[in-house]
Amino acid sequence: MSFTSNWSERHVGFVCGLGSFGLSRGLITQKGIAGRIGSIVTELYLSPDERKYKDIYEYCIMCGKCAENCPSRAISVERGKDHIACARFLDETSEKYNPRYGCGKCQVEVPCEFKIPRGSY
Ligand code: SF4
Ligand code: SF4
């Protein structure tokens, strides 16, 4: 099973200087990880923003709170994220709550929910 998409808003955000990735694989921006990102492809010339980080996980403090919150135990500080376990859990929610489904417990009540946690813990 492949979880590689041909376009990733998070990766565009990373390249453009919006933020770095977290252990739960979301993008931690100045506004935190609990949000939605969109991108627009344009020929308009815009001055580039400064990218304030070097490492892809620079804003994540590896606290493991997202792993604790995960109902399917799909995240671990040692092993990273198990996308199959996460997808399986989302499928279960779909069976139960169709047409709605989802989770996102790894993005709420965590130090990176609405800010960059580095320095605050
Ligand atoms: S909860 Fe902690 S480990 Fe998980 S992404 Fe946020 S800062 Fe990183
Ligand atoms: S979306 Fe839910 S199941 Fe998937 S990693 Fe986050 S907390 Fe775990």
Side-chain angles (χ1 to χ4, degrees), residues 5-21:
S5 61
N6 58 8
W7 189 261
S8 163
E9 309 295 359
R10 292 175 303 134
H11 286 79
V12 172
F14 173 80
V15 170
C16 293
L18 265 186
S20 82
F21 293 95

Side-chain angles (χ1 to χ4, degrees), residues 70-72 74-75 81 86 89-90 103-106:
C70 177
S72 67
I75 305 171
K81 182 170 175 184
C86 172
F89 182 76
L90 294 186
C103 176
K105 295 203 182 302
C106 50

Side-chain angles (χ1 to χ4, degrees), residues 77-107:
V77 173
E78 295 76 29
R79 295 183 307 279
K81 182 170 175 184
D82 177 347
H83 291 283
I84 293 175
C86 172
R88 232 181 254 138
F89 182 76
L90 294 186
D91 287 346
E92 282 171 28
T93 67
S94 172
E95 280 165 25
K96 215 168 167 183
Y97 302 108
N98 188 34
R100 295 173 188 85
Y101 77 101
C103 176
K105 295 203 182 302
C106 50
Q107 299 188 352

Side-chain angles (χ1 to χ4, degrees), residues 4-5 9 24 28 31 38 42 44 49 58 64-65 78 80 95 100 112 114 117:
T4 308
S5 61
E9 309 295 359
S24 62
I28 304 174
K31 301 275 186 189
T42 175
L44 181 71
D49 290 333
E58 197 161 313
K65 189 75 176 75
E78 295 76 29
E95 280 165 25
R100 295 173 188 85
C112 58
F114 49 81

Side-chain angles (χ1 to χ4, degrees), residues 3-4 10-11 14 16 26 29 31 33 35 37 42-43 45 51 55 59 61 69 81-82 96 104 110:
F3 291 94
T4 308
R10 292 175 303 134
H11 286 79
F14 173 80
C16 293
T29 73
K31 301 275 186 189
I33 202 167
I37 297 169
T42 175
E43 292 181 343
Y45 179 80
R51 200 183 304 157
D55 187 81
Y59 291 166
I61 55 175
N69 288 3
K81 182 170 175 184
D82 177 347
K96 215 168 167 183
V110 289

